[in-house]
Amino acid sequence: MSEEHHAALITGVAKPLQVGSVPTIQPMQGEVLIRNYAIAVQPLDAKMLLGSYSGAGSLHSFPAVFGSSGAGVVEKLGAGVTSLAFGDRVVFDTRAYTKADANRREGTWQQLVICDAATVAKIGEIAFEQAVLIDFPLQTAVAALHLFLGMGKPGNAGVEEKVLVWGSGGAVGSYAVQYAKSVGYTVVVTASVRDADRQKGLGASDVIDYKAADAVERLRELGPYKYLFTGSGDPVSQKALSSLLQPEGGKFASVLGGDMELPTNIERVYRPFSQAAQSEENGDFRAWWYGEYLPNVLQNNLVDPVKFTKRGGGLAALQQASADVFEGKVRGKIIINPQE
Ligand SMILES: NC(=O)c1ccc[n+]([C@@H]2O[C@H](COP(=O)([O-])OP(=O)(O)OC[C@H]3O[C@@H](n4cnc5c(N)ncnc54)[C@H](OP(=O)(O)O)[C@@H]3O)[C@@H](O)[C@H]2O)c1
């Protein structure tokens, strides 16, 4: 009898997910099969499931399995995989949001996940929850700052310049602060007032309330900034960063796009940063991320993770969890164990 496992299947754009049995796909050359013990629900997942993301329909043939990262244990190795072994504890990212191939169902919203061995990092003994809390949003922040804006790698002690992270309260923003600090920059942030102490603990030199009427003015006094990033990506933040770059102009990275008008001397760098390592053209970044940087960060506790809430109920809990994330009801991340 062929092997089966449970998956949360999406049958069409904005359709509710259905949990059911699916045949387990066997790993091909260069792939591994991973038993998945932790999913962190990301805003992207919620937007995909609830149909508000414009790519939701075009990316997939249905039924599809969403979810692009997970943490678990290597169960089977495809031909040619030498970097991993049966039983390795890992965190991993899949092509769920970059490759439309319904037959291979590469999403992490299932118990056994097929994954390219090149996008798997070993995590040693740390908890699956901790690994999955960090990987996706940290990759977003590091890809934006390092790969797309050109910031260096950690260890350049003595960098004199400043970095601005707008909206550092979320996971991406919190990790952007810590990355920029680890590279050696002085990091100025905007966050909510209640989060100021945590931001200082993460390494921010100055915390400005992003709701304050004089936020841009105060940021201008603290600048200039070598790198500018908005971890909230909203129009207010994009306009603020554009204003801070005047009169010379320049570029900033944003987690979200949008069609607001920005001055012609401004370049907004908006990409699917979270999927950067899935792209062949970023092969060097991918090798560094999974082979060196991420295992080092996780195994040596170099990043303070955001808060999380564990939600019971296994895959069936994903629908409500996504709705809660979509409606902004969740601080930190919701984590679900697909084996429950
Ligand atoms: N382009 C990409 O590759 C990519 C990748 C990952 C995420 N994203 C997008 O980035 C955004 C953040 O993701 P995340 O994982 O960091 O979310 P998250 O952890 O859920 O962060 C939400 C927090 O951001 C802060 N925030 C919300 N609206 C804000 C605003 N208008 N101005 C300033 N801060 C605001 C709030 O913190 P306080 O209440 O403390 O202020 C809120 O609790 C999402 O929209 C997501 O879709 C894009």
Side-chain angles (χ1 to χ4, degrees), residues 42-44 47 136-137 140 166-173 190-192 194-195 210-211 231-234 237 254-256 270-275 306 325 330-333:
Q42 306 294 343
L44 174 60
K47 292 173 197 175
F136 180 98
T140 302
W166 183 288
S168 59
V172 175
T190 75
S192 53
R194 65 175 171 201
D195 205 27
Y210 64 82
K211 291 183 186 129
S232 54
D234 59 297
S237 67
S254 174
V255 289
L256 298 179
Y270 163 57
R271 302 275 191 292
F273 303 118
S274 62
Q275 312 297 308
V306 291
V325 170
V330 181
R331 281 190 65 74
K333 301 289 173 198

Side-chain angles (χ1 to χ4, degrees), residues 148-172:
F148 292 95
L149 289 185
M151 184 185 286
K153 291 180 178 174
N156 296 342
V159 178
E160 297 284 317
E161 291 140 317
K162 291 185 174 179
V163 171
L164 172 58
V165 179
W166 183 288
S168 59
V172 175

